[in-house]
Amino acid sequence: MASTLKHTKQTFKLNTGAEIPAIGLGTWQSPPGQVREAVKVALQHGYRHIDTAMAYGNEKEVGQGIKDSGVPRSEIWVTTKLDNPWHKRVQEGINTSLESLGIDYVDLYLMHWPCSSNPDDMSKVYDDWNFVDTWREMQKLVPSGKVKNIGVSNFAIKNLEILLNDKSCKIVPAVNQVELHPNCPSPKLLDYCKKKDIHATAYSCLGSTDSPLYKNEALIKLAEKKGKTVQQVLLMWGLQRGTSVIPKSVTASRIQKNFDLDGWELDDEELAKINGMRERFKVCGDAWLPAGTKVFFGDDE
């Protein structure tokens, strides 16, 4: 039998040499007024990875939760993201996020979407700027010390190819944060990222709020067999695929359960059963982006 991993202490080594904690707390769609407590509870329970974004509007609360926890800043991996209308203002974007968070640096700064929205008219993108230009500016942040690692989010193979093949791309993204769960597994994208030494972080790894995955009979039976929750099974599936996971919750008991993954794993047959699930859905598509902007192309399966 394969030896089980200590998942609560597990990290994944990035192409920069940095080590990102395998399990983090996601904060997308967490209700205002509850994020601060959720971050504090998570850190005091052992989490060392907190994920936020300027677009979530909760960086200030996240920063307060970090302070409330009493855990030293040096022990916490903080990820935040550059919002779409800030693509021409990368330096201002990171400074604004750091001020909101109340910290001097972030461990990972991501381009949230490969979409350079025009802040004067959010229904349009700039006609003289794209995500390659944004990445060129993000690369300049690394020597400043304000950002330890840079990466991208919501990048499909097609856009990763455009970025990596541009002569201005001097730094390969350390991370690509994308939606990943059994009904959105994107194996081709994962394989591509592995080949390019880009680590994948899974957001909406539980299928998001009111997830249909919680009602899936096969997952329910598997969870009962393991003596675990469906959520724990989903997180273990993500970890064993080599991705870090950032489940979102503001409920203390769920935050704690989502982290308690030591001492067990899914065997090959169980992994194959989950991998064999054929239903497909995406929590976060690209229809809300400015007209004509597509970032998902249906070719990552």
mmCIF file of all heavy atoms in Angstrom, residues 21-71:
data_model
loop_
_atom_site.group_PDB
_atom_site.id
_atom_site.type_symbol
_atom_site.label_atom_id
_atom_site.label_comp_id
_atom_site.label_asym_id
_atom_site.label_seq_id
_atom_site.Cartn_x
_atom_site.Cartn_y
_atom_site.Cartn_z
ATOM 1 N N PRO A 21 1.746 26.088 -0.145
ATOM 2 C CA PRO A 21 1.005 25.094 0.643
ATOM 3 C C PRO A 21 -0.118 24.462 -0.182
ATOM 4 O O PRO A 21 -0.825 25.146 -0.934
ATOM 5 C CB PRO A 21 0.454 25.914 1.809
ATOM 6 C CG PRO A 21 1.400 27.074 1.931
ATOM 7 C CD PRO A 21 1.787 27.399 0.517
ATOM 8 N N ALA A 22 -0.275 23.151 -0.025
ATOM 9 C CA ALA A 22 -1.209 22.392 -0.852
ATOM 10 C C ALA A 22 -2.667 22.767 -0.603
ATOM 11 O O ALA A 22 -3.490 22.720 -1.520
ATOM 12 C CB ALA A 22 -1.011 20.899 -0.608
ATOM 13 N N ILE A 23 -3.006 23.114 0.629
ATOM 14 C CA ILE A 23 -4.393 23.429 0.980
ATOM 15 C C ILE A 23 -4.484 24.881 1.430
ATOM 16 O O ILE A 23 -3.746 25.301 2.325
ATOM 17 C CB ILE A 23 -4.913 22.524 2.108
ATOM 18 C CG1 ILE A 23 -4.641 21.053 1.799
ATOM 19 C CG2 ILE A 23 -6.405 22.756 2.340
ATOM 20 C CD1 ILE A 23 -4.853 20.132 2.995
ATOM 21 N N GLY A 24 -5.381 25.623 0.802
ATOM 22 C CA GLY A 24 -5.567 27.025 1.176
ATOM 23 C C GLY A 24 -7.034 27.332 1.420
ATOM 24 O O GLY A 24 -7.917 26.517 1.132
ATOM 25 N N LEU A 25 -7.298 28.511 1.945
ATOM 26 C CA LEU A 25 -8.673 28.987 2.128
ATOM 27 C C LEU A 25 -9.007 29.948 0.995
ATOM 28 O O LEU A 25 -8.346 30.970 0.830
ATOM 29 C CB LEU A 25 -8.840 29.709 3.470
ATOM 30 C CG LEU A 25 -10.255 30.263 3.719
ATOM 31 C CD1 LEU A 25 -11.222 29.123 4.069
ATOM 32 C CD2 LEU A 25 -10.255 31.316 4.825
ATOM 33 N N GLY A 26 -10.023 29.598 0.212
ATOM 34 C CA GLY A 26 -10.512 30.511 -0.811
ATOM 35 C C GLY A 26 -11.498 31.497 -0.209
ATOM 36 O O GLY A 26 -12.193 31.172 0.759
ATOM 37 N N THR A 27 -11.581 32.695 -0.787
ATOM 38 C CA THR A 27 -12.481 33.713 -0.218
ATOM 39 C C THR A 27 -13.418 34.325 -1.249
ATOM 40 O O THR A 27 -14.097 35.300 -0.964
ATOM 41 C CB THR A 27 -11.672 34.847 0.468
ATOM 42 O OG1 THR A 27 -10.842 35.496 -0.504
ATOM 43 C CG2 THR A 27 -10.815 34.299 1.602
ATOM 44 N N TRP A 28 -13.469 33.751 -2.468
ATOM 45 C CA TRP A 28 -14.401 34.255 -3.480
ATOM 46 C C TRP A 28 -15.824 34.019 -3.021
ATOM 47 O O TRP A 28 -16.160 32.949 -2.530
ATOM 48 C CB TRP A 28 -14.141 33.539 -4.813
ATOM 49 C CG TRP A 28 -15.040 33.959 -5.924
ATOM 50 C CD1 TRP A 28 -15.398 35.242 -6.262
ATOM 51 C CD2 TRP A 28 -15.724 33.107 -6.863
ATOM 52 N NE1 TRP A 28 -16.234 35.237 -7.353
ATOM 53 C CE2 TRP A 28 -16.458 33.940 -7.748
ATOM 54 C CE3 TRP A 28 -15.770 31.727 -7.054
ATOM 55 C CZ2 TRP A 28 -17.229 33.449 -8.794
ATOM 56 C CZ3 TRP A 28 -16.537 31.229 -8.095
ATOM 57 C CH2 TRP A 28 -17.254 32.073 -8.948
ATOM 58 N N GLN A 29 -16.663 35.039 -3.162
ATOM 59 C CA GLN A 29 -18.088 34.977 -2.803
ATOM 60 C C GLN A 29 -18.337 34.777 -1.315
ATOM 61 O O GLN A 29 -19.461 34.480 -0.915
ATOM 62 C CB GLN A 29 -18.801 33.859 -3.588
ATOM 63 C CG GLN A 29 -18.862 34.113 -5.086
ATOM 64 C CD GLN A 29 -19.640 33.033 -5.822
ATOM 65 O OE1 GLN A 29 -19.637 31.866 -5.452
ATOM 66 N NE2 GLN A 29 -20.308 33.418 -6.901
ATOM 67 N N SER A 30 -17.316 34.955 -0.495
ATOM 68 C CA SER A 30 -17.548 34.900 0.950
ATOM 69 C C SER A 30 -18.236 36.192 1.374
ATOM 70 O O SER A 30 -17.790 37.277 1.020
ATOM 71 C CB SER A 30 -16.216 34.743 1.697
ATOM 72 O OG SER A 30 -15.644 33.483 1.430
ATOM 73 N N PRO A 31 -19.331 36.104 2.133
ATOM 74 C CA PRO A 31 -20.102 37.296 2.470
ATOM 75 C C PRO A 31 -19.295 38.310 3.285
ATOM 76 O O PRO A 31 -18.516 37.922 4.168
ATOM 77 C CB PRO A 31 -21.270 36.757 3.311
ATOM 78 C CG PRO A 31 -21.329 35.306 2.992
ATOM 79 C CD PRO A 31 -19.932 34.888 2.673
ATOM 80 N N PRO A 32 -19.472 39.611 2.984
ATOM 81 C CA PRO A 32 -18.795 40.654 3.766
ATOM 82 C C PRO A 32 -19.150 40.513 5.243
ATOM 83 O O PRO A 32 -20.267 40.142 5.585
ATOM 84 C CB PRO A 32 -19.358 41.962 3.198
ATOM 85 C CG PRO A 32 -19.926 41.604 1.861
ATOM 86 C CD PRO A 32 -20.336 40.174 1.945
ATOM 87 N N GLY A 33 -18.179 40.788 6.087
ATOM 88 C CA GLY A 33 -18.410 40.687 7.525
ATOM 89 C C GLY A 33 -18.110 39.306 8.083
ATOM 90 O O GLY A 33 -18.069 39.124 9.298
ATOM 91 N N GLN A 34 -17.901 38.314 7.186
ATOM 92 C CA GLN A 34 -17.612 36.957 7.646
ATOM 93 C C GLN A 34 -16.217 36.481 7.257
ATOM 94 O O GLN A 34 -15.724 35.501 7.802
ATOM 95 C CB GLN A 34 -18.647 35.980 7.068
ATOM 96 C CG GLN A 34 -20.073 36.259 7.522
ATOM 97 C CD GLN A 34 -21.070 35.280 6.919
ATOM 98 O OE1 GLN A 34 -20.773 34.107 6.742
ATOM 99 N NE2 GLN A 34 -22.247 35.763 6.599
ATOM 100 N N VAL A 35 -15.606 37.198 6.323
ATOM 101 C CA VAL A 35 -14.300 36.766 5.807
ATOM 102 C C VAL A 35 -13.218 36.878 6.874
ATOM 103 O O VAL A 35 -12.365 35.994 7.009
ATOM 104 C CB VAL A 35 -13.905 37.603 4.565
ATOM 105 C CG1 VAL A 35 -12.564 37.145 4.015
ATOM 106 C CG2 VAL A 35 -14.975 37.500 3.494
ATOM 107 N N ARG A 36 -13.254 37.945 7.636
ATOM 108 C CA ARG A 36 -12.232 38.174 8.675
ATOM 109 C C ARG A 36 -12.156 36.993 9.635
ATOM 110 O O ARG A 36 -11.086 36.454 9.910
ATOM 111 C CB ARG A 36 -12.564 39.471 9.430
ATOM 112 C CG ARG A 36 -11.597 39.807 10.549
ATOM 113 C CD ARG A 36 -11.963 41.144 11.167
ATOM 114 N NE ARG A 36 -11.010 41.551 12.192
ATOM 115 C CZ ARG A 36 -10.975 42.782 12.722
ATOM 116 N NH1 ARG A 36 -11.834 43.696 12.319
ATOM 117 N NH2 ARG A 36 -10.082 43.079 13.643
ATOM 118 N N GLU A 37 -13.327 36.569 10.126
ATOM 119 C CA GLU A 37 -13.385 35.461 11.076
ATOM 120 C C GLU A 37 -12.962 34.154 10.409
ATOM 121 O O GLU A 37 -12.271 33.325 11.008
ATOM 122 C CB GLU A 37 -14.803 35.340 11.645
ATOM 123 C CG GLU A 37 -14.988 34.245 12.689
ATOM 124 C CD GLU A 37 -14.222 34.486 13.993
ATOM 125 O OE1 GLU A 37 -13.750 35.615 14.224
ATOM 126 O OE2 GLU A 37 -14.083 33.512 14.765
ATOM 127 N N ALA A 38 -13.384 33.962 9.145
ATOM 128 C CA ALA A 38 -13.038 32.737 8.422
ATOM 129 C C ALA A 38 -11.525 32.600 8.271
ATOM 130 O O ALA A 38 -10.955 31.516 8.479
ATOM 131 C CB ALA A 38 -13.702 32.735 7.048
ATOM 132 N N VAL A 39 -10.863 33.694 7.934
ATOM 133 C CA VAL A 39 -9.399 33.669 7.777
ATOM 134 C C VAL A 39 -8.727 33.389 9.110
ATOM 135 O O VAL A 39 -7.806 32.573 9.198
ATOM 136 C CB VAL A 39 -8.902 35.012 7.177
ATOM 137 C CG1 VAL A 39 -7.377 35.114 7.235
ATOM 138 C CG2 VAL A 39 -9.377 35.158 5.732
ATOM 139 N N LYS A 40 -9.218 34.023 10.155
ATOM 140 C CA LYS A 40 -8.640 33.802 11.494
ATOM 141 C C LYS A 40 -8.797 32.333 11.906
ATOM 142 O O LYS A 40 -7.835 31.692 12.348
ATOM 143 C CB LYS A 40 -9.335 34.700 12.519
ATOM 144 C CG LYS A 40 -8.785 34.546 13.935
ATOM 145 C CD LYS A 40 -9.548 35.383 14.937
ATOM 146 C CE LYS A 40 -10.455 34.487 15.725
ATOM 147 N NZ LYS A 40 -11.133 35.166 16.841
ATOM 148 N N VAL A 41 -10.002 31.794 11.748
ATOM 149 C CA VAL A 41 -10.269 30.401 12.123
ATOM 150 C C VAL A 41 -9.374 29.453 11.327
ATOM 151 O O VAL A 41 -8.776 28.511 11.866
ATOM 152 C CB VAL A 41 -11.761 30.050 11.886
ATOM 153 C CG1 VAL A 41 -11.991 28.541 11.928
ATOM 154 C CG2 VAL A 41 -12.636 30.744 12.923
ATOM 155 N N ALA A 42 -9.275 29.718 10.014
ATOM 156 C CA ALA A 42 -8.470 28.847 9.153
ATOM 157 C C ALA A 42 -7.012 28.836 9.599
ATOM 158 O O ALA A 42 -6.399 27.769 9.752
ATOM 159 C CB ALA A 42 -8.576 29.305 7.700
ATOM 160 N N LEU A 43 -6.455 29.989 9.817
ATOM 161 C CA LEU A 43 -5.037 30.069 10.193
ATOM 162 C C LEU A 43 -4.794 29.447 11.566
ATOM 163 O O LEU A 43 -3.793 28.760 11.782
ATOM 164 C CB LEU A 43 -4.561 31.526 10.166
ATOM 165 C CG LEU A 43 -4.439 32.136 8.761
ATOM 166 C CD1 LEU A 43 -4.182 33.641 8.846
ATOM 167 C CD2 LEU A 43 -3.321 31.458 7.959
ATOM 168 N N GLN A 44 -5.719 29.655 12.481
ATOM 169 C CA GLN A 44 -5.545 29.084 13.814
ATOM 170 C C GLN A 44 -5.724 27.559 13.795
ATOM 171 O O GLN A 44 -5.221 26.869 14.673
ATOM 172 C CB GLN A 44 -6.527 29.734 14.803
ATOM 173 C CG GLN A 44 -6.153 31.182 15.106
ATOM 174 C CD GLN A 44 -7.065 31.843 16.122
ATOM 175 O OE1 GLN A 44 -8.183 31.380 16.372
ATOM 176 N NE2 GLN A 44 -6.611 32.943 16.695
ATOM 177 N N HIS A 45 -6.406 27.044 12.768
ATOM 178 C CA HIS A 45 -6.586 25.594 12.641
ATOM 179 C C HIS A 45 -5.421 24.938 11.894
ATOM 180 O O HIS A 45 -5.332 23.710 11.863
ATOM 181 C CB HIS A 45 -7.900 25.279 11.931
ATOM 182 C CG HIS A 45 -8.265 23.825 11.964
ATOM 183 N ND1 HIS A 45 -8.610 23.171 13.135
ATOM 184 C CD2 HIS A 45 -8.302 22.873 10.991
ATOM 185 C CE1 HIS A 45 -8.862 21.895 12.875
ATOM 186 N NE2 HIS A 45 -8.669 21.676 11.580
ATOM 187 N N GLY A 46 -4.554 25.746 11.313
ATOM 188 C CA GLY A 46 -3.387 25.168 10.650
ATOM 189 C C GLY A 46 -3.181 25.540 9.195
ATOM 190 O O GLY A 46 -2.130 25.267 8.615
ATOM 191 N N TYR A 47 -4.194 26.142 8.555
ATOM 192 C CA TYR A 47 -4.010 26.605 7.176
ATOM 193 C C TYR A 47 -2.833 27.583 7.137
ATOM 194 O O TYR A 47 -2.621 28.370 8.058
ATOM 195 C CB TYR A 47 -5.233 27.365 6.684
ATOM 196 C CG TYR A 47 -6.452 26.574 6.313
ATOM 197 C CD1 TYR A 47 -7.256 25.974 7.288
ATOM 198 C CD2 TYR A 47 -6.855 26.464 4.988
ATOM 199 C CE1 TYR A 47 -8.414 25.281 6.948
ATOM 200 C CE2 TYR A 47 -8.021 25.778 4.636
ATOM 201 C CZ TYR A 47 -8.791 25.193 5.617
ATOM 202 O OH TYR A 47 -9.937 24.514 5.281
ATOM 203 N N ARG A 48 -2.094 27.554 6.036
ATOM 204 C CA ARG A 48 -0.999 28.520 5.850
ATOM 205 C C ARG A 48 -1.030 29.140 4.455
ATOM 206 O O ARG A 48 -0.040 29.664 3.968
ATOM 207 C CB ARG A 48 0.367 27.844 6.098
ATOM 208 C CG ARG A 48 0.632 27.515 7.566
ATOM 209 C CD ARG A 48 0.646 28.763 8.430
ATOM 210 N NE ARG A 48 0.871 28.502 9.841
ATOM 211 C CZ ARG A 48 -0.104 28.357 10.741
ATOM 212 N NH1 ARG A 48 -1.380 28.450 10.367
ATOM 213 N NH2 ARG A 48 0.176 28.138 12.001
ATOM 214 N N HIS A 49 -2.206 29.097 3.833
ATOM 215 C CA HIS A 49 -2.362 29.588 2.463
ATOM 216 C C HIS A 49 -3.729 30.267 2.387
ATOM 217 O O HIS A 49 -4.758 29.635 2.629
ATOM 218 C CB HIS A 49 -2.265 28.378 1.519
ATOM 219 C CG HIS A 49 -2.488 28.657 0.065
ATOM 220 N ND1 HIS A 49 -2.386 27.666 -0.898
ATOM 221 C CD2 HIS A 49 -2.815 29.780 -0.613
ATOM 222 C CE1 HIS A 49 -2.628 28.177 -2.097
ATOM 223 N NE2 HIS A 49 -2.898 29.460 -1.938
ATOM 224 N N ILE A 50 -3.723 31.567 2.094
ATOM 225 C CA ILE A 50 -4.960 32.332 1.988
ATOM 226 C C ILE A 50 -5.032 32.953 0.601
ATOM 227 O O ILE A 50 -4.087 33.592 0.144
ATOM 228 C CB ILE A 50 -5.036 33.456 3.057
ATOM 229 C CG1 ILE A 50 -4.853 32.895 4.471
ATOM 230 C CG2 ILE A 50 -6.342 34.239 2.927
ATOM 231 C CD1 ILE A 50 -5.952 31.986 4.968
ATOM 232 N N ASP A 51 -6.169 32.759 -0.073
ATOM 233 C CA ASP A 51 -6.340 33.260 -1.438
ATOM 234 C C ASP A 51 -7.422 34.332 -1.480
ATOM 235 O O ASP A 51 -8.536 34.118 -1.003
ATOM 236 C CB ASP A 51 -6.731 32.112 -2.365
ATOM 237 C CG ASP A 51 -6.880 32.566 -3.805
ATOM 238 O OD1 ASP A 51 -7.991 33.001 -4.182
ATOM 239 O OD2 ASP A 51 -5.888 32.497 -4.560
ATOM 240 N N THR A 52 -7.075 35.486 -2.064
ATOM 241 C CA THR A 52 -8.041 36.574 -2.220
ATOM 242 C C THR A 52 -7.800 37.242 -3.568
ATOM 243 O O THR A 52 -7.033 36.751 -4.395
ATOM 244 C CB THR A 52 -7.957 37.568 -1.040
ATOM 245 O OG1 THR A 52 -8.968 38.569 -1.198
ATOM 246 C CG2 THR A 52 -6.595 38.240 -0.949
ATOM 247 N N ALA A 53 -8.475 38.365 -3.805
ATOM 248 C CA ALA A 53 -8.306 39.106 -5.058
ATOM 249 C C ALA A 53 -8.888 40.500 -4.877
ATOM 250 O O ALA A 53 -9.855 40.680 -4.128
ATOM 251 C CB ALA A 53 -9.013 38.400 -6.212
ATOM 252 N N MET A 54 -8.322 41.448 -5.605
ATOM 253 C CA MET A 54 -8.879 42.796 -5.574
ATOM 254 C C MET A 54 -10.361 42.773 -5.966
ATOM 255 O O MET A 54 -11.187 43.455 -5.356
ATOM 256 C CB MET A 54 -8.102 43.707 -6.529
ATOM 257 C CG MET A 54 -8.638 45.119 -6.580
ATOM 258 S SD MET A 54 -7.822 46.136 -7.825
ATOM 259 C CE MET A 54 -6.367 46.634 -6.932
ATOM 260 N N ALA A 55 -10.700 41.960 -6.957
ATOM 261 C CA ALA A 55 -12.078 41.915 -7.462
ATOM 262 C C ALA A 55 -13.071 41.403 -6.418
ATOM 263 O O ALA A 55 -14.269 41.678 -6.519
ATOM 264 C CB ALA A 55 -12.152 41.048 -8.715
ATOM 265 N N TYR A 56 -12.604 40.660 -5.423
ATOM 266 C CA TYR A 56 -13.518 40.133 -4.403
ATOM 267 C C TYR A 56 -13.982 41.224 -3.433
ATOM 268 O O TYR A 56 -14.960 41.036 -2.716
ATOM 269 C CB TYR A 56 -12.863 39.007 -3.584
ATOM 270 C CG TYR A 56 -12.360 37.830 -4.369
ATOM 271 C CD1 TYR A 56 -11.506 36.901 -3.765
ATOM 272 C CD2 TYR A 56 -12.704 37.630 -5.706
ATOM 273 C CE1 TYR A 56 -11.017 35.805 -4.473
ATOM 274 C CE2 TYR A 56 -12.210 36.535 -6.417
ATOM 275 C CZ TYR A 56 -11.365 35.633 -5.802
ATOM 276 O OH TYR A 56 -10.876 34.552 -6.495
ATOM 277 N N GLY A 57 -13.235 42.310 -3.367
ATOM 278 C CA GLY A 57 -13.600 43.402 -2.470
ATOM 279 C C GLY A 57 -13.425 43.072 -0.998
ATOM 280 O O GLY A 57 -14.032 43.716 -0.131
ATOM 281 N N ASN A 58 -12.581 42.075 -0.685
ATOM 282 C CA ASN A 58 -12.452 41.671 0.723
ATOM 283 C C ASN A 58 -11.003 41.649 1.217
ATOM 284 O O ASN A 58 -10.714 41.073 2.271
ATOM 285 C CB ASN A 58 -13.106 40.301 0.946
ATOM 286 C CG ASN A 58 -12.449 39.176 0.143
ATOM 287 O OD1 ASN A 58 -11.321 39.304 -0.329
ATOM 288 N ND2 ASN A 58 -13.155 38.067 -0.004
ATOM 289 N N GLU A 59 -10.089 42.264 0.459
ATOM 290 C CA GLU A 59 -8.683 42.218 0.867
ATOM 291 C C GLU A 59 -8.473 42.819 2.265
ATOM 292 O O GLU A 59 -7.665 42.300 3.042
ATOM 293 C CB GLU A 59 -7.809 42.951 -0.155
ATOM 294 C CG GLU A 59 -7.629 42.200 -1.464
ATOM 295 C CD GLU A 59 -6.874 43.010 -2.501
ATOM 296 O OE1 GLU A 59 -7.180 44.218 -2.645
ATOM 297 O OE2 GLU A 59 -5.985 42.457 -3.165
ATOM 298 N N LYS A 60 -9.209 43.871 2.579
ATOM 299 C CA LYS A 60 -9.048 44.496 3.902
ATOM 300 C C LYS A 60 -9.444 43.519 5.008
ATOM 301 O O LYS A 60 -8.731 43.357 6.007
ATOM 302 C CB LYS A 60 -9.888 45.768 3.996
ATOM 303 C CG LYS A 60 -9.614 46.551 5.273
ATOM 304 C CD LYS A 60 -10.292 47.904 5.277
ATOM 305 C CE LYS A 60 -9.936 48.654 6.551
ATOM 306 N NZ LYS A 60 -10.656 49.943 6.661
ATOM 307 N N GLU A 61 -10.575 42.842 4.831
ATOM 308 C CA GLU A 61 -11.026 41.863 5.829
ATOM 309 C C GLU A 61 -10.055 40.692 5.939
ATOM 310 O O GLU A 61 -9.794 40.183 7.034
ATOM 311 C CB GLU A 61 -12.408 41.324 5.456
ATOM 312 C CG GLU A 61 -13.547 42.159 5.988
ATOM 313 C CD GLU A 61 -14.870 41.394 5.940
ATOM 314 O OE1 GLU A 61 -15.022 40.449 6.745
ATOM 315 O OE2 GLU A 61 -15.710 41.735 5.111
ATOM 316 N N VAL A 62 -9.531 40.256 4.793
ATOM 317 C CA VAL A 62 -8.548 39.172 4.805
ATOM 318 C C VAL A 62 -7.331 39.586 5.626
ATOM 319 O O VAL A 62 -6.839 38.826 6.468
ATOM 320 C CB VAL A 62 -8.125 38.794 3.364
ATOM 321 C CG1 VAL A 62 -6.890 37.898 3.378
ATOM 322 C CG2 VAL A 62 -9.272 38.084 2.645
ATOM 323 N N GLY A 63 -6.858 40.801 5.392
ATOM 324 C CA GLY A 63 -5.714 41.310 6.145
ATOM 325 C C GLY A 63 -5.989 41.386 7.639
ATOM 326 O O GLY A 63 -5.122 41.061 8.459
ATOM 327 N N GLN A 64 -7.215 41.775 7.999
ATOM 328 C CA GLN A 64 -7.576 41.840 9.419
ATOM 329 C C GLN A 64 -7.597 40.444 10.031
ATOM 330 O O GLN A 64 -7.154 40.233 11.163
ATOM 331 C CB GLN A 64 -8.957 42.503 9.562
ATOM 332 C CG GLN A 64 -8.947 43.990 9.243
ATOM 333 C CD GLN A 64 -10.351 44.565 9.094
ATOM 334 O OE1 GLN A 64 -11.307 43.850 8.746
ATOM 335 N NE2 GLN A 64 -10.485 45.857 9.351
ATOM 336 N N GLY A 65 -8.096 39.470 9.275
ATOM 337 C CA GLY A 65 -8.133 38.090 9.757
ATOM 338 C C GLY A 65 -6.738 37.533 9.973
ATOM 339 O O GLY A 65 -6.491 36.789 10.935
ATOM 340 N N ILE A 66 -5.817 37.888 9.084
ATOM 341 C CA ILE A 66 -4.418 37.463 9.232
ATOM 342 C C ILE A 66 -3.851 38.008 10.541
ATOM 343 O O ILE A 66 -3.224 37.271 11.315
ATOM 344 C CB ILE A 66 -3.583 37.925 8.023
ATOM 345 C CG1 ILE A 66 -3.962 37.105 6.782
ATOM 346 C CG2 ILE A 66 -2.089 37.800 8.306
ATOM 347 C CD1 ILE A 66 -3.372 37.617 5.476
ATOM 348 N N LYS A 67 -4.112 39.276 10.804
ATOM 349 C CA LYS A 67 -3.612 39.896 12.058
ATOM 350 C C LYS A 67 -4.258 39.254 13.282
ATOM 351 O O LYS A 67 -3.598 38.950 14.271
ATOM 352 C CB LYS A 67 -3.886 41.405 12.044
ATOM 353 C CG LYS A 67 -2.955 42.192 11.145
ATOM 354 C CD LYS A 67 -3.130 43.687 11.348
ATOM 355 C CE LYS A 67 -2.206 44.484 10.443
ATOM 356 N NZ LYS A 67 -2.477 44.282 9.006
ATOM 357 N N ASP A 68 -5.578 39.061 13.196
ATOM 358 C CA ASP A 68 -6.318 38.477 14.330
ATOM 359 C C ASP A 68 -5.807 37.077 14.689
ATOM 360 O O ASP A 68 -5.891 36.658 15.839
ATOM 361 C CB ASP A 68 -7.815 38.360 14.004
ATOM 362 C CG ASP A 68 -8.509 39.710 13.873
ATOM 363 O OD1 ASP A 68 -7.902 40.730 14.245
ATOM 364 O OD2 ASP A 68 -9.650 39.729 13.372
ATOM 365 N N SER A 69 -5.317 36.351 13.700
ATOM 366 C CA SER A 69 -4.939 34.948 13.917
ATOM 367 C C SER A 69 -3.745 34.790 14.849
ATOM 368 O O SER A 69 -3.584 33.769 15.504
ATOM 369 C CB SER A 69 -4.610 34.281 12.583
ATOM 370 O OG SER A 69 -3.343 34.705 12.101
ATOM 371 N N GLY A 70 -2.887 35.804 14.871
ATOM 372 C CA GLY A 70 -1.670 35.706 15.678
ATOM 373 C C GLY A 70 -0.575 34.879 15.021
ATOM 374 O O GLY A 70 0.512 34.711 15.583
ATOM 375 N N VAL A 71 -0.836 34.353 13.820
ATOM 376 C CA VAL A 71 0.182 33.578 13.100
ATOM 377 C C VAL A 71 1.145 34.560 12.431
ATOM 378 O O VAL A 71 0.702 35.514 11.790
ATOM 379 C CB VAL A 71 -0.470 32.665 12.038
ATOM 380 C CG1 VAL A 71 0.589 31.935 11.216
ATOM 381 C CG2 VAL A 71 -1.415 31.668 12.710
#
